[in-house]
PDB file of all heavy atoms in Angstrom:
ATOM      1  N   VAL A 759      18.128 -17.429 -19.665  1.00 96.00           N
ATOM      2  CA  VAL A 759      18.076 -17.009 -18.274  1.00 96.00           C
ATOM      3  C   VAL A 759      16.635 -17.202 -17.825  1.00 96.00           C
ATOM      4  O   VAL A 759      15.727 -16.494 -18.261  1.00 96.00           O
ATOM      5  CB  VAL A 759      18.506 -15.542 -18.110  1.00 96.00           C
ATOM      6  CG1 VAL A 759      18.373 -15.104 -16.649  1.00 96.00           C
ATOM      7  CG2 VAL A 759      19.938 -15.344 -18.594  1.00 96.00           C
ATOM      8  N   VAL A 760      16.418 -18.199 -16.973  1.00 95.00           N
ATOM      9  CA  VAL A 760      15.047 -18.572 -16.618  1.00 95.00           C
ATOM     10  C   VAL A 760      14.575 -17.903 -15.329  1.00 95.00           C
ATOM     11  O   VAL A 760      13.363 -17.859 -15.064  1.00 95.00           O
ATOM     12  CB  VAL A 760      14.911 -20.104 -16.492  1.00 95.00           C
ATOM     13  CG1 VAL A 760      15.176 -20.769 -17.837  1.00 95.00           C
ATOM     14  CG2 VAL A 760      15.854 -20.668 -15.432  1.00 95.00           C
ATOM     15  N   ARG A 761      15.524 -17.399 -14.541  1.00 94.00           N
ATOM     16  CA  ARG A 761      15.123 -16.771 -13.282  1.00 94.00           C
ATOM     17  C   ARG A 761      16.240 -15.887 -12.791  1.00 94.00           C
ATOM     18  O   ARG A 761      17.414 -16.227 -12.906  1.00 94.00           O
ATOM     19  CB  ARG A 761      14.795 -17.841 -12.240  1.00 94.00           C
ATOM     20  CG  ARG A 761      14.101 -17.305 -10.992  1.00 94.00           C
ATOM     21  CD  ARG A 761      13.739 -18.463 -10.073  1.00 94.00           C
ATOM     22  NE  ARG A 761      13.111 -17.995  -8.851  1.00 94.00           N
ATOM     23  CZ  ARG A 761      12.837 -18.755  -7.806  1.00 94.00           C
ATOM     24  NH1 ARG A 761      13.140 -20.052  -7.842  1.00 94.00           N
ATOM     25  NH2 ARG A 761      12.276 -18.257  -6.717  1.00 94.00           N
ATOM     26  N   THR A 762      15.895 -14.737 -12.238  1.00 94.00           N
ATOM     27  CA  THR A 762      16.877 -13.848 -11.617  1.00 94.00           C
ATOM     28  C   THR A 762      16.388 -13.459 -10.231  1.00 94.00           C
ATOM     29  O   THR A 762      15.194 -13.445  -9.952  1.00 94.00           O
ATOM     30  CB  THR A 762      17.114 -12.575 -12.455  1.00 94.00           C
ATOM     31  OG1 THR A 762      15.873 -11.847 -12.586  1.00 94.00           O
ATOM     32  CG2 THR A 762      17.666 -12.905 -13.830  1.00 94.00           C
ATOM     33  N   GLY A 763      17.335 -13.180  -9.363  1.00 92.00           N
ATOM     34  CA  GLY A 763      16.983 -12.784  -8.011  1.00 92.00           C
ATOM     35  C   GLY A 763      18.222 -12.605  -7.163  1.00 92.00           C
ATOM     36  O   GLY A 763      19.328 -12.390  -7.686  1.00 92.00           O
ATOM     37  N   GLY A 764      18.051 -12.709  -5.862  1.00 92.00           N
ATOM     38  CA  GLY A 764      19.168 -12.570  -4.944  1.00 92.00           C
ATOM     39  C   GLY A 764      19.768 -13.909  -4.579  1.00 92.00           C
ATOM     40  O   GLY A 764      19.461 -14.950  -5.183  1.00 92.00           O
ATOM     41  N   ARG A 765      20.583 -13.913  -3.555  1.00 91.00           N
ATOM     42  CA  ARG A 765      21.296 -15.121  -3.159  1.00 91.00           C
ATOM     43  C   ARG A 765      20.373 -16.210  -2.622  1.00 91.00           C
ATOM     44  O   ARG A 765      20.796 -17.353  -2.455  1.00 91.00           O
ATOM     45  CB  ARG A 765      22.376 -14.770  -2.124  1.00 91.00           C
ATOM     46  CG  ARG A 765      23.476 -13.857  -2.667  1.00 91.00           C
ATOM     47  CD  ARG A 765      24.514 -13.551  -1.599  1.00 91.00           C
ATOM     48  NE  ARG A 765      25.298 -14.734  -1.257  1.00 91.00           N
ATOM     49  CZ  ARG A 765      26.485 -15.023  -1.775  1.00 91.00           C
ATOM     50  NH1 ARG A 765      27.020 -14.226  -2.700  1.00 91.00           N
ATOM     51  NH2 ARG A 765      27.139 -16.101  -1.398  1.00 91.00           N
ATOM     52  N   GLU A 766      19.126 -15.856  -2.371  1.00 89.00           N
ATOM     53  CA  GLU A 766      18.192 -16.882  -1.923  1.00 89.00           C
ATOM     54  C   GLU A 766      17.939 -17.938  -3.000  1.00 89.00           C
ATOM     55  O   GLU A 766      17.444 -19.035  -2.699  1.00 89.00           O
ATOM     56  CB  GLU A 766      16.854 -16.249  -1.503  1.00 89.00           C
ATOM     57  CG  GLU A 766      16.030 -15.660  -2.642  1.00 89.00           C
ATOM     58  CD  GLU A 766      16.437 -14.236  -3.014  1.00 89.00           C
ATOM     59  OE1 GLU A 766      17.395 -13.720  -2.393  1.00 89.00           O
ATOM     60  OE2 GLU A 766      15.800 -13.654  -3.904  1.00 89.00           O
ATOM     61  N   LEU A 767      18.308 -17.628  -4.256  1.00 89.00           N
ATOM     62  CA  LEU A 767      18.148 -18.608  -5.331  1.00 89.00           C
ATOM     63  C   LEU A 767      19.191 -19.722  -5.258  1.00 89.00           C
ATOM     64  O   LEU A 767      19.021 -20.768  -5.880  1.00 89.00           O
ATOM     65  CB  LEU A 767      18.251 -17.924  -6.700  1.00 89.00           C
ATOM     66  CG  LEU A 767      17.166 -16.918  -7.068  1.00 89.00           C
ATOM     67  CD1 LEU A 767      17.376 -16.416  -8.492  1.00 89.00           C
ATOM     68  CD2 LEU A 767      15.785 -17.549  -6.944  1.00 89.00           C
ATOM     69  N   LEU A 768      20.258 -19.476  -4.530  1.00 86.00           N
ATOM     70  CA  LEU A 768      21.312 -20.482  -4.442  1.00 86.00           C
ATOM     71  C   LEU A 768      20.859 -21.617  -3.532  1.00 86.00           C
ATOM     72  O   LEU A 768      20.320 -21.395  -2.445  1.00 86.00           O
ATOM     73  CB  LEU A 768      22.600 -19.873  -3.886  1.00 86.00           C
ATOM     74  CG  LEU A 768      23.218 -18.736  -4.711  1.00 86.00           C
ATOM     75  CD1 LEU A 768      24.403 -18.142  -3.972  1.00 86.00           C
ATOM     76  CD2 LEU A 768      23.656 -19.276  -6.067  1.00 86.00           C
ATOM     77  N   GLU A 769      21.110 -22.829  -3.979  1.00 64.00           N
ATOM     78  CA  GLU A 769      20.815 -24.000  -3.174  1.00 64.00           C
ATOM     79  C   GLU A 769      22.120 -24.658  -2.789  1.00 64.00           C
ATOM     80  O   GLU A 769      23.112 -24.545  -3.513  1.00 64.00           O
ATOM     81  CB  GLU A 769      19.948 -24.993  -3.960  1.00 64.00           C
ATOM     82  CG  GLU A 769      18.594 -24.430  -4.329  1.00 64.00           C
ATOM     83  CD  GLU A 769      17.768 -25.418  -5.123  1.00 64.00           C
ATOM     84  OE1 GLU A 769      18.296 -26.509  -5.387  1.00 64.00           O
ATOM     85  OE2 GLU A 769      16.633 -25.096  -5.467  1.00 64.00           O
ATOM     86  N   PRO A 770      22.140 -25.340  -1.648  1.00 51.00           N
ATOM     87  CA  PRO A 770      23.371 -26.032  -1.266  1.00 51.00           C
ATOM     88  C   PRO A 770      23.805 -26.978  -2.367  1.00 51.00           C
ATOM     89  O   PRO A 770      22.985 -27.652  -2.988  1.00 51.00           O
ATOM     90  CB  PRO A 770      22.979 -26.798   0.009  1.00 51.00           C
ATOM     91  CG  PRO A 770      21.784 -26.060   0.534  1.00 51.00           C
ATOM     92  CD  PRO A 770      21.067 -25.530  -0.668  1.00 51.00           C
ATOM     93  N   ALA A 771      25.107 -27.010  -2.619  1.00 38.00           N
ATOM     94  CA  ALA A 771      25.636 -27.921  -3.641  1.00 38.00           C
ATOM     95  C   ALA A 771      25.333 -29.349  -3.254  1.00 38.00           C
ATOM     96  O   ALA A 771      25.420 -29.745  -2.098  1.00 38.00           O
ATOM     97  CB  ALA A 771      27.146 -27.728  -3.801  1.00 38.00           C
ATOM     98  N   ALA A 772      24.938 -30.128  -4.261  1.00 35.00           N
ATOM     99  CA  ALA A 772      24.664 -31.546  -4.016  1.00 35.00           C
ATOM    100  C   ALA A 772      25.975 -32.280  -3.871  1.00 35.00           C
ATOM    101  O   ALA A 772      26.680 -32.509  -4.836  1.00 35.00           O
ATOM    102  CB  ALA A 772      23.851 -32.129  -5.170  1.00 35.00           C
ATOM    103  N   GLY A 773      26.324 -32.572  -2.657  1.00 36.00           N
ATOM    104  CA  GLY A 773      27.586 -33.262  -2.429  1.00 36.00           C
ATOM    105  C   GLY A 773      27.460 -34.746  -2.681  1.00 36.00           C
ATOM    106  O   GLY A 773      26.381 -35.274  -2.903  1.00 36.00           O
ATOM    107  N   CYS A 774      28.557 -35.363  -2.648  1.00 35.00           N
ATOM    108  CA  CYS A 774      28.589 -36.826  -2.826  1.00 35.00           C
ATOM    109  C   CYS A 774      28.601 -37.467  -1.442  1.00 35.00           C
ATOM    110  O   CYS A 774      29.567 -37.323  -0.692  1.00 35.00           O
ATOM    111  CB  CYS A 774      29.829 -37.241  -3.615  1.00 35.00           C
ATOM    112  SG  CYS A 774      30.059 -39.020  -3.724  1.00 35.00           S
ATOM    113  N   ALA A 775      27.492 -38.110  -1.098  1.00 32.00           N
ATOM    114  CA  ALA A 775      27.406 -38.724   0.223  1.00 32.00           C
ATOM    115  C   ALA A 775      28.394 -39.864   0.333  1.00 32.00           C
ATOM    116  O   ALA A 775      28.511 -40.695  -0.538  1.00 32.00           O
ATOM    117  CB  ALA A 775      25.976 -39.240   0.445  1.00 32.00           C
ATOM    118  N   ARG A 776      29.103 -39.846   1.418  1.00 33.00           N
ATOM    119  CA  ARG A 776      30.080 -40.905   1.645  1.00 33.00           C
ATOM    120  C   ARG A 776      29.487 -41.930   2.588  1.00 33.00           C
ATOM    121  O   ARG A 776      29.029 -41.624   3.684  1.00 33.00           O
ATOM    122  CB  ARG A 776      31.360 -40.323   2.246  1.00 33.00           C
ATOM    123  CG  ARG A 776      32.119 -39.423   1.298  1.00 33.00           C
ATOM    124  CD  ARG A 776      33.378 -38.883   1.935  1.00 33.00           C
ATOM    125  NE  ARG A 776      34.222 -39.959   2.415  1.00 33.00           N
ATOM    126  CZ  ARG A 776      35.341 -39.750   3.102  1.00 33.00           C
ATOM    127  NH1 ARG A 776      35.738 -38.540   3.368  1.00 33.00           N
ATOM    128  NH2 ARG A 776      36.066 -40.772   3.498  1.00 33.00           N
ATOM    129  N   ALA A 777      29.487 -43.143   2.144  1.00 33.00           N
ATOM    130  CA  ALA A 777      28.942 -44.215   2.966  1.00 33.00           C
ATOM    131  C   ALA A 777      29.869 -44.503   4.130  1.00 33.00           C
ATOM    132  O   ALA A 777      31.062 -44.264   4.065  1.00 33.00           O
ATOM    133  CB  ALA A 777      28.764 -45.482   2.114  1.00 33.00           C
ATOM    134  N   SER A 778      29.268 -45.007   5.204  1.00 31.00           N
ATOM    135  CA  SER A 778      30.094 -45.364   6.343  1.00 31.00           C
ATOM    136  C   SER A 778      30.812 -46.669   6.069  1.00 31.00           C
ATOM    137  O   SER A 778      30.385 -47.469   5.242  1.00 31.00           O
ATOM    138  CB  SER A 778      29.219 -45.506   7.591  1.00 31.00           C
ATOM    139  OG  SER A 778      28.256 -46.525   7.391  1.00 31.00           O
ATOM    140  N   GLY A 779      31.907 -46.886   6.787  1.00 32.00           N
ATOM    141  CA  GLY A 779      32.665 -48.123   6.600  1.00 32.00           C
ATOM    142  C   GLY A 779      33.654 -48.013   5.475  1.00 32.00           C
ATOM    143  O   GLY A 779      33.669 -47.061   4.718  1.00 32.00           O
ATOM    144  N   ARG A 780      34.513 -49.017   5.337  1.00 31.00           N
ATOM    145  CA  ARG A 780      35.537 -49.032   4.321  1.00 31.00           C
ATOM    146  C   ARG A 780      35.152 -50.003   3.224  1.00 31.00           C
ATOM    147  O   ARG A 780      34.531 -51.021   3.468  1.00 31.00           O
ATOM    148  CB  ARG A 780      36.903 -49.430   4.905  1.00 31.00           C
ATOM    149  CG  ARG A 780      37.306 -48.650   6.134  1.00 31.00           C
ATOM    150  CD  ARG A 780      37.304 -47.158   5.909  1.00 31.00           C
ATOM    151  NE  ARG A 780      38.222 -46.794   4.833  1.00 31.00           N
ATOM    152  CZ  ARG A 780      38.295 -45.588   4.342  1.00 31.00           C
ATOM    153  NH1 ARG A 780      37.510 -44.634   4.786  1.00 31.00           N
ATOM    154  NH2 ARG A 780      39.156 -45.325   3.387  1.00 31.00           N
ATOM    155  N   ALA A 781      35.577 -49.673   1.985  1.00 33.00           N
ATOM    156  CA  ALA A 781      35.246 -50.530   0.859  1.00 33.00           C
ATOM    157  C   ALA A 781      36.238 -51.663   0.716  1.00 33.00           C
ATOM    158  O   ALA A 781      35.971 -52.634   0.026  1.00 33.00           O
ATOM    159  CB  ALA A 781      35.215 -49.705  -0.426  1.00 33.00           C
ATOM    160  N   THR A 782      37.389 -51.523   1.321  1.00 33.00           N
ATOM    161  CA  THR A 782      38.454 -52.497   1.096  1.00 33.00           C
ATOM    162  C   THR A 782      39.094 -52.874   2.413  1.00 33.00           C
ATOM    163  O   THR A 782      39.321 -52.029   3.269  1.00 33.00           O
ATOM    164  CB  THR A 782      39.530 -51.902   0.170  1.00 33.00           C
ATOM    165  OG1 THR A 782      38.903 -51.424  -1.005  1.00 33.00           O
ATOM    166  CG2 THR A 782      40.569 -52.937  -0.197  1.00 33.00           C
TER     167      THR A 782
END
Protein backbone atom coordinates (compact mmCIF):
# COMPACT_ATOMS: atom_id res chain seq x y z
CA VAL A 1 0.00 0.00 0.00
CA VAL A 2 1.93 3.00 -1.29
CA ARG A 3 -0.59 5.74 -0.59
CA THR A 4 -3.86 6.26 1.28
CA GLY A 5 -6.29 9.13 1.20
CA GLY A 6 -9.72 10.21 0.04
CA ARG A 7 -11.43 10.04 -3.31
CA GLU A 8 -9.15 12.73 -4.65
CA LEU A 9 -6.64 9.92 -5.26
CA LEU A 10 -8.88 8.48 -7.95
CA GLU A 11 -7.98 9.42 -11.49
CA PRO A 12 -10.27 9.14 -14.48
CA ALA A 13 -10.02 5.69 -16.05
CA ALA A 14 -7.82 5.63 -19.11
CA GLY A 15 -10.32 4.90 -21.80
CA CYS A 16 -9.63 3.61 -25.22
CA ALA A 17 -9.75 6.53 -27.62
CA ARG A 18 -11.81 5.78 -30.64
CA ALA A 19 -10.53 7.18 -33.87
CA SER A 20 -12.87 9.00 -36.17
CA GLY A 21 -14.00 7.34 -39.37
CA ARG A 22 -14.61 3.70 -40.17
CA ALA A 23 -11.96 1.02 -40.50
CA THR A 24 -13.85 -0.97 -43.10
